[in-house]
Amino acid sequence: MPETLLSVKELSINVKNGNERNTAVSGVSFDIENGEILGIVGESGCGKSLTALGIAGLLPKGAAVSNGSIVFDGRELKNISQDEFRKIQGKDITMIFQEPMTSLNPLMTVGKQVAEGLKIHYKLTDREIKERVLKVLNEVGLDRVEELYNSYPHQLSGGMRQRVMIAMAVICRPKLIIADEPTTALDVTTQAKILKLLKDINMQYKTSILFISHDLGVISKLCNRVAVMYAGSFVEEGSTESIFYNPIHQYTRGLIESIPIRKNKGKRLVSIPGKVPSIKERKCGCSFAPRCQKAEQKCFYKKPKSIIFESTHRVCCNLAVGEGEECVI
């Protein structure tokens, strides 16, 4: 039986705005098993990246975890000191960011940046460190690694820089990689190669991956399970197959219908009307109600509860009927 590596329960994150604190992430719960890839998908502004940063202990100034539990490998991360957290960051939990050009240090060579995690977490000689760096650069599909070792980020293509970021993330053989939209800035061909690389790393090292994206097409190619996020909360969660072939929430359906497919070539693209409400605009009831074509009066004042469908598929919607039975909207 698979073991739970990460268990997040009722996670809420507040963001300071002047003298006010607004809730940006509200009551998010999910588990990631050892060797599993979980995708979190949603539009920009839904709280995906903030959730990831909260788990990694990298929240920006003004943002803070206000409620909930984050248990990683049996340890409650909220209760450990900063020094203890630093021993986990970069070793057991690592991150791959969206834009490598702004994440890599332009003044440091590639070799030094990839080696940084090893220097912090392990006692190795300079020769041993260099050997490991060259090996991992090869593993992530980079050529001429000796030359690359002494190169600077600006001398690399976008795809090469992203592979360097992945090398930095895997060199300490972490238990969990958090990938925050790592393929967004890449062309389609390079994107496919990076997705295959992440899948290979997952299969080879049994590394769990939390993959953040706004693109359901990308999620479908990589993830075992999917959580759909809207306005700071999960609205639907299930296996990738269940989410794609039996979407229940109207937001999930809208995201799937908006994916461009070959048979619709030349036709007008489907879009979801309206926009994600800002943290100041979020009111009681269902956050998606103002954009939902099937919303009823109760949707605007009644907060939806989580309804379970087929044991592994759950949805938060006032119009869904379920609790173990088929959910129908």
Side-chain angles (χ1 to χ4, degrees):
M1 290 290 290
E3 296 181 359
T4 301
L5 176 67
L6 177 70
S7 182
V8 177
K9 302 297 181 188
E10 294 297 321
L11 177 67
S12 293
I13 298 174
N14 285 348
V15 176
K16 190 175 181 181
N17 188 1
N19 295 324
E20 296 181 349
R21 275 202 170 271
N22 301 112
T23 301
V25 174
S26 178
V28 167
S29 298
F30 63 91
D31 293 337
I32 299 180
E33 310 296 337
N34 281 311
E36 182 182 33
I37 305 178
L38 171 68
I40 299 181
V41 68
E43 294 168 279
S44 297
C46 284
K48 308 182 301 298
S49 294
L50 211 56
T51 300
L53 293 172
I55 294 166
L58 297 172
L59 284 171
K61 187 177 181 181
V65 173
S66 58
N67 189 44
S69 170
I70 305 170
V71 177
F72 174 75
D73 203 21
R75 299 180 70 186
E76 173 57 75
L77 298 185
K78 282 181 63 183
N79 297 337
I80 65 176
S81 66
Q82 278 292 97
D83 287 341
E84 288 178 300
F85 213 141
R86 289 191 188 100
K87 293 176 183 178
I88 296 173
Q89 290 170 324
K91 182 176 181 287
D92 296 321
I93 300 177
T94 59
M95 278 200 76
I96 304 169
F97 294 97
Q98 179 175 343
E99 179 45 71
M101 196 59 193
T102 57
S103 302
L104 293 170
N105 188 332
L107 303 179
M108 286 178 64
T109 61
V110 166
K112 285 186 177 180
Q113 294 191 63
V114 177
E116 200 166 19
L118 290 177
K119 289 183 177 180
I120 292 171
H121 298 289
Y122 297 96
K123 293 181 179 179
L124 300 169
T125 64
D126 289 344
R127 182 178 178 180
E128 288 172 327
I129 288 173
K130 184 173 181 179
E131 285 176 354
R132 290 203 188 186
V133 170
L134 294 176
K135 182 181 178 184
V136 79
L137 290 174
N138 258 317
E139 287 175 351
V140 299
L142 289 164
D143 299 322
R144 305 191 314 275
V145 293
E146 284 279 0
E147 178 185 335
L148 190 63
Y149 186 90
N150 294 308
S151 299
Y152 289 87
H154 73 272
Q155 297 174 302
L156 280 57
S157 68
M160 292 172 72
R161 287 194 291 266
Q162 196 59 281
R163 287 175 186 269
V164 170
M165 288 289 295
I166 294 172
M168 291 171 65
V170 302
I171 195 163
C172 291
R173 299 291 183 258
K175 296 176 181 178
L176 174 67
I177 294 174
I178 301 174
D180 187 8
E181 305 209 34
T183 60
T184 300
L186 305 176
D187 62 76
V188 176
T189 303
T190 307
Q191 182 184 86
K193 291 178 181 179
I194 295 298
L195 292 177
K196 183 181 183 302
L197 175 58
L198 289 173
K199 190 72 175 179
D200 290 345
I201 289 167
N202 165 255
M203 296 291 289
Q204 184 176 353
Y205 303 122
K206 305 300 179 187
T207 304
S208 300
I209 299 175
L210 176 60
F211 190 88
I212 311 291
S213 181
H214 65 272
D215 189 337
L216 265 174
V218 170
I219 290 284
S220 68
K221 298 172 185 174
L222 183 69
C223 302
N224 308 115
R225 286 190 303 119
V226 182
V228 182
M229 194 170 197
Y230 185 78
S233 301
F234 283 177
V235 296
E236 191 162 3
E237 182 186 355
S239 68
T240 303
E241 183 179 9
S242 181
I243 291 293
F244 275 83
Y245 289 101
N246 186 30
I248 297 168
H249 200 282
Q250 287 298 304
Y251 181 59
T252 309
R253 290 181 179 182
L255 290 177
I256 292 173
E257 288 171 0
S258 65
I259 299 173
I261 54 177
R262 189 183 297 274
K263 71 176 183 179
N264 290 337
K265 185 178 179 180
K267 296 181 181 179
R268 187 180 180 86
L269 288 172
V270 175
S271 63
I272 305 172
K275 63 182 180 69
V276 180
S278 70
I279 55 177
K280 285 189 172 183
E281 296 172 330
R282 295 173 192 175
K283 301 176 182 178
C284 60
C286 175
S287 297
F288 188 65
R291 303 176 70 187
C292 181
Q293 296 179 352
K294 295 193 175 183
E296 297 179 359
Q297 187 176 358
K298 63 181 178 181
C299 299
F300 291 89
Y301 66 84
K302 182 181 178 183
K303 185 177 180 180
K305 294 182 179 179
S306 179
I307 295 176
I308 299 173
F309 168 53
E310 288 186 351
S311 73
T312 59
H313 191 154
R314 58 190 176 107
V315 62
C316 286
C317 178
N318 284 319
L319 303 182
V321 178
E323 294 187 346
E325 302 173 2
E326 184 175 356
C327 290
V328 180
I329 298 180

